[in-house]
Amino acid sequence: RSFLSKEYILSIIRNMASFKMNYLHWHIIDDQSFPLEFKAYPEIYKKGAGWLGYIHHKTDCDQTADVGKYYSQNDLVEIVDYA
């Protein structure tokens, strides 16, 4: 629902390690957003990243902040390798 930058995810993993936590439950995709690049389906992340559906219609926050942001396949590999 809310896009977290790659740097922020890496900092979460680093902080978890300092507390000896070893399980990160990360919802990369769900029905509100699909911010993950797939080479086989190039339009899916372009249309699905930062979807502003029913969950966001009553908020006062900047609803356009996360639109169009996505994780590339290289980002995902880097995050998994870092973990």
Side-chain angles (χ1 to χ4, degrees):
R1 294 176 191 167
S2 295
F3 183 83
L4 303 174
S5 70
K6 177 182 72 174
E7 292 75 22
Y8 188 72
I9 296 292
L10 294 175
S11 73
I12 289 172
I13 293 169
R14 187 172 43 256
N15 288 322
M16 287 176 65
S18 70
F19 288 100
K20 299 186 185 264
M21 298 173 74
N22 62 2
Y23 187 89
L24 174 65
H25 187 98
W26 181 24
H27 283 252
I28 300 174
I29 58 174
D30 57 22
D31 65 338
Q32 282 80 26
S33 181
F34 201 97
L36 185 58
E37 176 187 39
F38 281 94
K39 302 284 184 187
Y41 303 100
E43 294 297 313
I44 197 165
Y45 69 91
K46 292 177 184 175
K47 293 181 180 178
W51 181 73
L52 299 174
Y54 68 92
I55 225 125
H56 298 288
H57 80 283
K58 293 183 181 178
T59 63
D60 293 330
C61 65
D62 179 8
Q63 295 181 357
T64 61
D66 296 334
V67 174
K69 294 181 181 178
Y70 65 93
Y71 303 104
S72 70
Q73 290 182 350
N74 291 336
D75 290 340
L76 204 56
V77 167
E78 184 179 340
I79 290 168
V80 170
D81 285 348
Y82 186 79

XYZ file of all heavy atoms in Angstrom:
696
model
N 0.824 -1.199 0.000
C 0.000 0.000 0.000
C 0.854 1.243 0.000
O 0.623 2.156 -0.746
C -0.928 0.000 1.193
C -1.945 -1.096 1.128
C -2.788 -1.128 2.361
N -3.562 -2.353 2.353
C -4.201 -2.808 3.364
N -4.187 -2.165 4.493
N -4.876 -3.914 3.286
N 1.844 1.255 0.855
C 2.774 2.383 0.894
C 4.126 1.895 0.430
O 4.652 0.909 0.945
C 2.889 2.933 2.312
O 1.660 3.467 2.725
N 4.693 2.586 -0.522
C 5.983 2.197 -1.059
C 7.086 2.566 -0.076
O 7.148 3.686 0.416
C 6.223 2.907 -2.393
C 7.504 2.507 -3.052
C 7.568 1.367 -3.819
C 8.647 3.265 -2.890
C 8.747 0.988 -4.429
C 9.833 2.904 -3.484
C 9.876 1.764 -4.262
N 7.954 1.611 0.219
C 9.121 1.840 1.067
C 10.347 1.747 0.168
O 10.505 0.776 -0.570
C 9.208 0.803 2.178
C 7.996 0.707 3.101
C 8.158 -0.460 4.068
C 7.800 2.004 3.858
N 11.197 2.726 0.215
C 12.369 2.734 -0.659
C 13.279 1.546 -0.358
O 13.256 0.975 0.736
C 13.153 4.035 -0.486
O 13.786 4.057 0.775
N 14.098 1.205 -1.347
C 15.048 0.109 -1.169
C 15.980 0.404 0.005
O 16.262 -0.481 0.818
C 15.838 -0.094 -2.456
C 16.906 -1.163 -2.349
C 17.690 -1.303 -3.629
C 18.583 -0.114 -3.797
N 19.499 -0.214 -4.936
N 16.423 1.640 0.120
C 17.323 2.019 1.214
C 16.651 1.825 2.571
O 17.289 1.400 3.537
C 17.784 3.465 1.055
C 18.690 3.698 -0.136
C 17.956 3.708 -1.479
O 16.723 3.944 -1.499
O 18.606 3.450 -2.499
N 15.360 2.141 2.643
C 14.629 1.971 3.901
C 14.468 0.489 4.250
O 14.644 0.104 5.407
C 13.258 2.650 3.805
C 12.523 2.676 5.112
C 12.926 3.505 6.145
C 11.417 1.851 5.328
C 12.266 3.524 7.357
C 10.743 1.867 6.535
C 11.177 2.706 7.538
O 10.516 2.713 8.733
N 14.180 -0.338 3.260
C 14.081 -1.789 3.492
C 15.425 -2.327 3.986
O 15.483 -3.126 4.925
C 13.641 -2.528 2.212
C 12.232 -2.102 1.786
C 13.723 -4.040 2.383
C 11.138 -2.531 2.715
N 16.518 -1.880 3.366
C 17.845 -2.325 3.807
C 18.130 -1.882 5.239
O 18.725 -2.638 6.023
C 18.921 -1.790 2.860
C 18.877 -2.332 1.427
C 19.927 -1.636 0.558
C 19.040 -3.829 1.386
N 17.685 -0.686 5.617
C 17.893 -0.231 6.998
C 17.053 -1.046 7.980
O 17.497 -1.321 9.096
C 17.597 1.262 7.132
O 16.216 1.523 7.083
N 15.864 -1.456 7.571
C 15.041 -2.323 8.428
C 15.764 -3.640 8.666
O 15.845 -4.125 9.799
C 13.652 -2.559 7.799
C 12.811 -1.288 7.848
C 12.924 -3.713 8.508
C 11.513 -1.376 7.077
N 16.309 -4.232 7.604
C 17.026 -5.502 7.730
C 18.252 -5.334 8.634
O 18.512 -6.168 9.504
C 17.425 -6.030 6.340
C 16.162 -6.407 5.556
C 18.369 -7.222 6.453
C 16.401 -6.681 4.092
N 18.982 -4.242 8.450
C 20.163 -3.975 9.286
C 19.775 -3.830 10.756
O 20.420 -4.398 11.648
C 20.861 -2.709 8.775
C 22.172 -2.400 9.407
C 22.920 -1.248 8.733
N 22.095 -0.094 8.383
C 21.677 0.196 7.137
N 21.977 -0.603 6.126
N 20.953 1.268 6.912
N 18.703 -3.103 11.025
C 18.248 -2.929 12.411
C 17.713 -4.228 12.992
O 17.907 -4.508 14.181
C 17.199 -1.827 12.492
C 17.791 -0.456 12.296
O 18.889 -0.179 12.765
N 17.090 0.406 11.586
N 17.025 -5.013 12.181
C 16.549 -6.309 12.664
C 17.722 -7.190 13.078
O 17.656 -7.873 14.097
C 15.728 -7.012 11.574
C 14.369 -6.400 11.348
S 13.490 -7.184 9.980
C 13.255 -8.830 10.638
N 18.791 -7.170 12.294
C 19.970 -7.981 12.611
C 20.587 -7.561 13.936
O 21.057 -8.401 14.705
C 20.992 -7.877 11.484
N 20.579 -6.264 14.224
C 21.165 -5.804 15.488
C 20.366 -6.291 16.696
O 20.905 -6.391 17.794
C 21.291 -4.276 15.498
O 20.026 -3.675 15.575
N 19.089 -6.592 16.490
C 18.260 -7.141 17.562
C 18.074 -8.649 17.443
O 17.223 -9.231 18.102
C 16.887 -6.454 17.573
C 16.937 -5.046 18.068
C 16.926 -3.989 17.179
C 17.010 -4.774 19.423
C 16.973 -2.679 17.622
C 17.060 -3.471 19.883
C 17.044 -2.421 18.984
N 18.874 -9.261 16.547
C 18.857 -10.703 16.314
C 17.484 -11.209 15.858
O 17.081 -12.323 16.179
C 19.353 -11.467 17.542
C 20.767 -11.106 17.904
C 21.305 -11.949 19.023
C 22.661 -11.446 19.417
N 23.749 -12.107 18.829
N 16.784 -10.370 15.136
C 15.516 -10.776 14.533
C 15.836 -11.369 13.165
O 16.648 -10.828 12.422
C 14.574 -9.579 14.400
C 14.219 -8.964 15.736
S 13.289 -7.444 15.555
C 11.710 -8.071 15.055
N 15.202 -12.475 12.822
C 15.583 -13.143 11.586
C 14.395 -13.443 10.657
O 14.489 -14.311 9.804
C 16.327 -14.445 11.892
C 15.471 -15.427 12.657
O 14.308 -15.166 12.926
N 16.037 -16.563 13.007
N 13.300 -12.712 10.803
C 12.149 -12.975 9.949
C 11.511 -11.642 9.560
O 11.068 -10.889 10.418
C 11.126 -13.843 10.697
C 9.979 -14.313 9.839
C 10.075 -15.497 9.130
C 8.821 -13.564 9.742
C 9.027 -15.928 8.348
C 7.774 -13.987 8.951
C 7.886 -15.175 8.257
O 6.847 -15.598 7.474
N 11.506 -11.356 8.281
C 10.883 -10.134 7.768
C 9.672 -10.526 6.935
O 9.800 -11.219 5.933
C 11.871 -9.345 6.903
C 11.310 -8.115 6.187
C 10.873 -7.060 7.207
C 12.334 -7.541 5.223
N 8.519 -10.111 7.379
C 7.276 -10.371 6.643
C 6.969 -9.117 5.833
O 6.480 -8.127 6.358
C 6.145 -10.679 7.634
C 4.895 -11.123 6.972
N 4.567 -12.445 6.866
C 3.906 -10.429 6.366
C 3.409 -12.551 6.232
N 2.998 -11.327 5.912
N 7.271 -9.170 4.546
C 7.197 -8.000 3.689
C 6.138 -8.217 2.618
O 6.272 -9.087 1.772
C 8.564 -7.773 3.068
C 8.720 -6.605 2.152
C 7.980 -5.475 2.112
C 9.726 -6.457 1.147
N 8.449 -4.624 1.151
C 9.527 -5.205 0.539
C 10.770 -7.259 0.709
C 10.336 -4.751 -0.490
C 11.572 -6.796 -0.311
C 11.353 -5.552 -0.894
N 5.101 -7.431 2.653
C 4.052 -7.506 1.630
C 4.493 -6.665 0.437
O 4.200 -5.469 0.374
C 2.723 -6.965 2.166
C 2.021 -7.906 3.072
N 0.882 -8.587 2.706
C 2.300 -8.294 4.330
C 0.488 -9.340 3.696
N 1.336 -9.185 4.698
N 5.191 -7.278 -0.483
C 5.640 -6.540 -1.656
C 4.434 -6.201 -2.533
O 4.310 -5.098 -3.035
C 6.670 -7.350 -2.463
C 7.891 -7.654 -1.605
C 7.071 -6.599 -3.721
C 8.884 -8.570 -2.270
N 3.570 -7.178 -2.707
C 2.381 -6.957 -3.531
C 1.141 -7.333 -2.739
O 1.174 -8.185 -1.866
C 2.429 -7.771 -4.842
C 2.568 -9.263 -4.557
C 3.556 -7.300 -5.724
C 2.471 -10.140 -5.765
N 0.069 -6.649 -3.025
C -1.231 -6.996 -2.465
C -2.289 -6.407 -3.381
O -1.978 -5.933 -4.469
C -1.381 -6.527 -1.014
C -1.166 -5.044 -0.828
O -1.308 -4.289 -1.811
O -0.865 -4.622 0.291
N -3.530 -6.431 -2.958
C -4.577 -5.957 -3.864
C -4.617 -4.442 -4.003
O -5.269 -3.915 -4.888
C -5.944 -6.496 -3.453
C -6.405 -5.989 -2.110
O -5.553 -5.565 -1.310
O -7.618 -6.027 -1.853
N -3.892 -3.695 -3.170
C -3.867 -2.247 -3.290
C -2.730 -1.750 -4.179
O -2.772 -0.635 -4.653
C -3.749 -1.573 -1.916
C -5.040 -1.532 -1.155
C -5.353 -2.840 -0.464
O -4.455 -3.589 -0.151
N -6.614 -3.092 -0.245
N -1.696 -2.553 -4.366
C -0.546 -2.093 -5.129
C 0.244 -3.280 -5.672
O 0.246 -4.359 -5.086
C 0.354 -1.240 -4.233
O 1.458 -0.768 -4.943
N 0.906 -3.071 -6.778
C 1.735 -4.109 -7.389
C 3.042 -3.475 -7.852
O 3.269 -3.319 -9.051
C 0.996 -4.750 -8.565
C 1.515 -6.105 -8.921
C 0.893 -7.237 -8.438
C 2.634 -6.250 -9.712
C 1.374 -8.489 -8.750
C 3.119 -7.503 -10.023
C 2.483 -8.627 -9.553
N 3.915 -3.071 -6.914
C 5.129 -2.339 -7.285
C 6.340 -3.224 -7.565
O 7.442 -2.966 -7.095
C 5.374 -1.462 -6.067
C 4.941 -2.331 -4.939
C 3.743 -3.092 -5.472
N 6.165 -4.301 -8.318
C 7.257 -5.225 -8.580
C 7.382 -5.441 -10.077
O 6.409 -5.790 -10.745
C 7.010 -6.551 -7.864
C 8.099 -7.600 -7.935
C 9.408 -7.062 -7.381
C 7.683 -8.837 -7.167
N 8.586 -5.226 -10.603
C 8.835 -5.352 -12.032
C 8.864 -6.826 -12.442
O 9.526 -7.639 -11.822
C 10.172 -4.707 -12.360
C 10.597 -4.861 -13.797
C 11.992 -4.349 -14.033
O 12.877 -4.549 -13.176
O 12.189 -3.726 -15.081
N 8.136 -7.148 -13.498
C 8.176 -8.458 -14.130
C 8.487 -8.251 -15.600
O 7.744 -7.560 -16.298
C 6.831 -9.192 -14.007
C 6.610 -9.822 -12.687
C 5.921 -9.147 -11.700
C 7.087 -11.090 -12.410
C 5.706 -9.727 -10.468
C 6.886 -11.675 -11.184
C 6.196 -10.995 -10.215
N 9.588 -8.831 -16.081
C 9.962 -8.676 -17.484
C 8.912 -9.283 -18.412
O 8.662 -8.766 -19.493
C 11.316 -9.325 -17.753
C 12.445 -8.774 -16.916
C 12.905 -7.443 -17.388
C 14.113 -7.024 -16.542
N 14.546 -5.712 -16.793
N 8.282 -10.379 -17.977
C 7.282 -11.044 -18.816
C 5.996 -10.239 -18.945
O 5.262 -10.393 -19.915
C 6.971 -12.426 -18.258
N 5.706 -9.390 -17.950
C 4.491 -8.571 -17.951
C 4.876 -7.110 -17.690
O 4.663 -6.594 -16.597
C 3.514 -9.055 -16.885
C 3.140 -10.507 -17.033
C 3.738 -11.482 -16.237
C 2.206 -10.915 -17.967
C 3.409 -12.807 -16.372
C 1.876 -12.249 -18.118
C 2.485 -13.192 -17.315
O 2.154 -14.515 -17.452
N 5.398 -6.420 -18.684
C 5.935 -5.082 -18.447
C 4.902 -4.031 -18.054
O 5.258 -3.017 -17.458
C 6.596 -4.722 -19.779
C 5.959 -5.598 -20.783
C 5.567 -6.849 -20.064
N 3.667 -4.244 -18.348
C 2.645 -3.238 -18.021
C 2.108 -3.371 -16.597
O 1.521 -2.440 -16.072
C 1.479 -3.332 -19.008
C 1.849 -2.957 -20.423
C 2.283 -1.511 -20.551
O 1.595 -0.629 -20.006
O 3.321 -1.258 -21.183
N 2.318 -4.511 -15.962
C 1.661 -4.768 -14.676
C 2.138 -3.805 -13.591
O 1.344 -3.279 -12.826
C 1.803 -6.238 -14.245
C 0.789 -6.561 -13.175
C 3.209 -6.560 -13.787
C 0.596 -8.042 -12.952
N 3.436 -3.535 -13.516
C 3.904 -2.610 -12.477
C 3.673 -1.164 -12.881
O 3.516 -0.294 -12.025
C 5.373 -2.855 -12.119
C 6.363 -2.495 -13.185
C 6.926 -1.224 -13.239
C 6.764 -3.421 -14.134
C 7.837 -0.889 -14.213
C 7.678 -3.097 -15.104
C 8.214 -1.826 -15.138
O 9.113 -1.510 -16.112
N 3.623 -0.891 -14.179
C 3.359 0.478 -14.618
C 1.933 0.900 -14.280
O 1.679 2.042 -13.931
C 3.597 0.603 -16.119
C 5.059 0.464 -16.497
C 5.235 0.521 -17.993
C 6.688 0.287 -18.370
N 6.865 0.219 -19.818
N 1.024 -0.045 -14.359
C -0.375 0.261 -14.065
C -0.735 0.001 -12.607
O -1.660 0.598 -12.084
C -1.293 -0.563 -14.966
C -1.181 -0.174 -16.418
C -2.097 -0.981 -17.290
C -1.954 -0.552 -18.741
N -2.781 -1.347 -19.623
N -0.013 -0.906 -11.954
C -0.381 -1.306 -10.608
C 0.405 -0.679 -9.482
O 0.010 -0.757 -8.326
N 1.531 -0.057 -9.774
C 2.346 0.531 -8.710
C 1.663 1.766 -8.149
O 1.360 2.705 -8.854
C 3.724 0.888 -9.238
N 1.410 1.748 -6.858
C 0.834 2.903 -6.189
C -0.637 3.115 -6.463
O -1.111 4.231 -6.497
N -1.372 2.050 -6.628
C -2.807 2.162 -6.899
C -3.507 2.914 -5.781
O -3.275 2.684 -4.601
C -3.405 0.766 -7.033
C -4.855 0.770 -7.338
C -5.436 1.106 -8.527
C -5.918 0.429 -6.464
N -6.795 0.982 -8.445
C -7.118 0.569 -7.176
C -5.983 0.028 -5.142
C -8.355 0.319 -6.629
C -7.225 -0.224 -4.599
C -8.383 -0.078 -5.338
N -4.334 3.862 -6.131
C -5.021 4.692 -5.140
C -6.482 4.282 -5.061
O -7.373 5.006 -5.476
C -4.912 6.172 -5.521
C -3.502 6.718 -5.590
C -3.520 8.140 -6.118
C -2.841 6.670 -4.240
N -6.721 3.148 -4.523
C -8.076 2.622 -4.459
C -8.848 3.077 -3.243
O -8.558 4.101 -2.645
N -9.813 2.292 -2.871
C -10.756 2.648 -1.816
C -10.084 2.933 -0.490
O -10.576 3.707 0.307
C -11.795 1.555 -1.652
C -11.250 0.262 -1.106
C -11.248 0.004 0.262
C -10.721 -0.704 -1.944
C -10.734 -1.162 0.771
C -10.217 -1.882 -1.443
C -10.229 -2.107 -0.103
O -9.716 -3.265 0.399
N -8.934 2.367 -0.227
C -8.309 2.518 1.076
C -7.781 3.941 1.271
O -7.663 4.411 2.368
C -7.205 1.467 1.242
C -7.313 0.852 2.596
C -5.822 2.024 1.182
C -7.422 -0.518 2.762
N -7.456 4.626 0.171
C -6.831 5.941 0.267
C -7.785 7.103 0.029
O -7.381 8.237 0.151
C -5.675 6.038 -0.731
C -4.601 5.048 -0.472
N -3.739 5.149 0.583
C -4.255 3.914 -1.123
C -2.904 4.131 0.570
N -3.191 3.373 -0.453
N -9.001 6.850 -0.315
C -9.855 7.952 -0.754
C -10.256 8.905 0.354
O -10.648 10.021 0.088
C -11.089 7.427 -1.489
C -12.181 6.927 -0.596
N -12.105 5.708 0.027
C -13.351 7.485 -0.231
C -13.200 5.536 0.746
N -13.967 6.590 0.597
N -10.112 8.520 1.612
C -10.519 9.392 2.716
C -9.349 10.006 3.467
O -9.539 10.637 4.475
C -11.394 8.612 3.699
C -12.726 8.201 3.115
C -13.580 7.498 4.133
C -14.896 7.088 3.494
N -15.749 6.371 4.398
N -8.133 9.837 2.971
C -6.979 10.350 3.698
C -6.645 11.766 3.256
O -6.994 12.201 2.170
C -5.743 9.463 3.470
O -5.411 9.513 2.090
C -5.990 8.045 3.909
N -5.943 12.464 4.111
C -5.503 13.819 3.805
C -4.050 13.851 3.331
O -3.506 14.909 3.076
C -5.628 14.711 5.047
C -7.073 14.932 5.436
O -7.933 14.928 4.537
O -7.333 15.116 6.636
N -3.418 12.687 3.257
C -2.010 12.656 2.874
C -1.853 12.880 1.372
O -2.814 12.842 0.613
C -1.377 11.326 3.276
S -2.060 9.914 2.407
N -0.629 13.085 0.965
C -0.327 13.265 -0.450
C -0.481 11.918 -1.146
O 0.386 11.061 -1.073
C 1.094 13.791 -0.615
C 1.481 13.990 -2.071
O 0.597 13.869 -2.955
O 2.657 14.263 -2.322
N -1.557 11.741 -1.827
C -1.875 10.444 -2.422
C -1.047 10.139 -3.657
O -1.014 9.001 -4.101
C -3.358 10.384 -2.773
C -4.245 10.435 -1.555
C -5.706 10.345 -1.937
O -6.049 10.303 -3.106
N -6.558 10.303 -0.948
N -0.379 11.103 -4.211
C 0.414 10.857 -5.414
C 1.858 10.506 -5.100
O 2.635 10.219 -5.996
C 0.386 12.089 -6.336
O 0.960 13.191 -5.632
C -1.021 12.420 -6.766
N 2.238 10.496 -3.830
C 3.639 10.294 -3.451
C 4.185 8.949 -3.911
O 5.340 8.857 -4.309
C 3.801 10.438 -1.949
N 3.393 7.890 -3.858
C 3.880 6.555 -4.181
C 3.507 6.091 -5.582
O 3.887 5.000 -5.985
C 3.336 5.543 -3.172
C 3.848 5.811 -1.769
O 4.932 6.408 -1.640
O 3.163 5.440 -0.813
N 2.772 6.858 -6.321
C 2.318 6.430 -7.637
C 3.500 6.297 -8.578
O 4.320 7.199 -8.698
C 1.277 7.424 -8.211
C 0.923 7.059 -9.642
C 0.052 7.444 -7.341
N 3.587 5.146 -9.224
C 4.633 4.912 -10.210
C 5.940 4.390 -9.675
O 6.805 4.003 -10.444
N 6.118 4.338 -8.368
C 7.354 3.803 -7.801
C 7.248 2.285 -7.762
O 6.188 1.740 -7.478
C 7.593 4.347 -6.408
C 7.865 5.834 -6.392
C 8.126 6.317 -4.986
C 8.370 7.801 -4.963
N 8.579 8.284 -3.597
N 8.357 1.613 -8.050
C 8.336 0.149 -8.052
C 9.737 -0.376 -7.761
O 10.722 0.357 -7.820
C 7.834 -0.382 -9.392
C 8.735 -0.066 -10.557
C 9.715 -0.962 -10.957
C 8.625 1.135 -11.246
C 10.556 -0.678 -12.018
C 9.456 1.427 -12.303
C 10.414 0.519 -12.684
O 11.244 0.809 -13.724
N 9.798 -1.666 -7.438
C 11.063 -2.348 -7.204
C 11.457 -3.060 -8.494
O 10.678 -3.852 -9.024
C 10.944 -3.388 -6.087
C 10.470 -2.803 -4.779
C 9.168 -2.990 -4.354
C 11.330 -2.063 -3.981
C 8.727 -2.457 -3.161
C 10.892 -1.521 -2.788
C 9.593 -1.723 -2.383
O 9.153 -1.189 -1.204
N 12.649 -2.782 -8.977
C 13.132 -3.503 -10.155
C 13.569 -4.899 -9.718
O 13.738 -5.169 -8.521
C 14.300 -2.761 -10.800
O 15.439 -2.838 -9.963
N 13.792 -5.759 -10.683
C 14.272 -7.096 -10.344
C 15.658 -7.012 -9.697
O 15.963 -7.777 -8.779
C 14.296 -7.973 -11.596
C 12.914 -8.323 -12.077
C 12.914 -9.233 -13.280
O 13.945 -9.479 -13.895
N 11.749 -9.734 -13.616
N 16.465 -6.070 -10.130
C 17.794 -5.879 -9.518
C 17.678 -5.412 -8.070
O 18.463 -5.820 -7.218
C 18.623 -4.887 -10.323
C 19.029 -5.425 -11.670
O 19.093 -6.629 -11.864
N 19.287 -4.534 -12.601
N 16.692 -4.545 -7.788
C 16.461 -4.113 -6.406
C 16.133 -5.306 -5.525
O 16.653 -5.438 -4.416
C 15.296 -3.116 -6.329
C 15.614 -1.772 -6.935
O 16.804 -1.442 -7.088
O 14.648 -1.051 -7.262
N 15.265 -6.161 -6.004
C 14.851 -7.328 -5.222
C 16.021 -8.271 -4.969
O 16.191 -8.760 -3.847
C 13.711 -8.053 -5.937
C 12.804 -8.882 -5.073
C 12.194 -8.067 -3.948
C 11.725 -9.525 -5.899
N 16.845 -8.496 -5.987
C 18.023 -9.342 -5.812
C 18.968 -8.739 -4.775
O 19.489 -9.440 -3.899
C 18.750 -9.555 -7.171
C 20.130 -10.155 -6.978
C 17.904 -10.411 -8.085
N 19.172 -7.423 -4.846
C 20.049 -6.754 -3.888
C 19.519 -6.875 -2.472
O 20.282 -7.124 -1.521
C 20.207 -5.283 -4.267
C 21.171 -4.543 -3.381
C 21.327 -3.082 -3.780
O 21.004 -2.726 -4.923
O 21.779 -2.300 -2.925
N 18.221 -6.713 -2.281
C 17.613 -6.800 -0.941
C 17.743 -8.209 -0.393
O 18.123 -8.405 0.767
C 16.144 -6.338 -0.996
C 16.074 -4.829 -1.243
C 15.416 -6.702 0.297
C 14.706 -4.311 -1.593
N 17.459 -9.204 -1.214
C 17.564 -10.605 -0.752
C 19.011 -10.957 -0.449
O 19.301 -11.597 0.570
C 16.938 -11.566 -1.793
C 17.248 -13.014 -1.461
C 15.442 -11.344 -1.895
N 19.945 -10.536 -1.296
C 21.366 -10.804 -1.032
C 21.819 -10.126 0.260
O 22.605 -10.692 1.009
C 22.229 -10.325 -2.194
C 22.161 -11.233 -3.405
O 21.632 -12.361 -3.282
O 22.599 -10.802 -4.490
N 21.341 -8.923 0.512
C 21.706 -8.197 1.723
C 21.196 -8.908 2.970
O 21.880 -8.969 3.988
C 21.159 -6.766 1.665
C 21.617 -5.904 2.803
C 22.890 -5.349 2.798
C 20.778 -5.625 3.869
C 23.319 -4.552 3.837
C 21.204 -4.829 4.908
C 22.476 -4.287 4.899
O 22.902 -3.498 5.919
N 19.984 -9.450 2.863
C 19.394 -10.148 4.008
C 20.165 -11.416 4.290
O 20.321 -11.841 5.404
C 17.938 -10.466 3.733
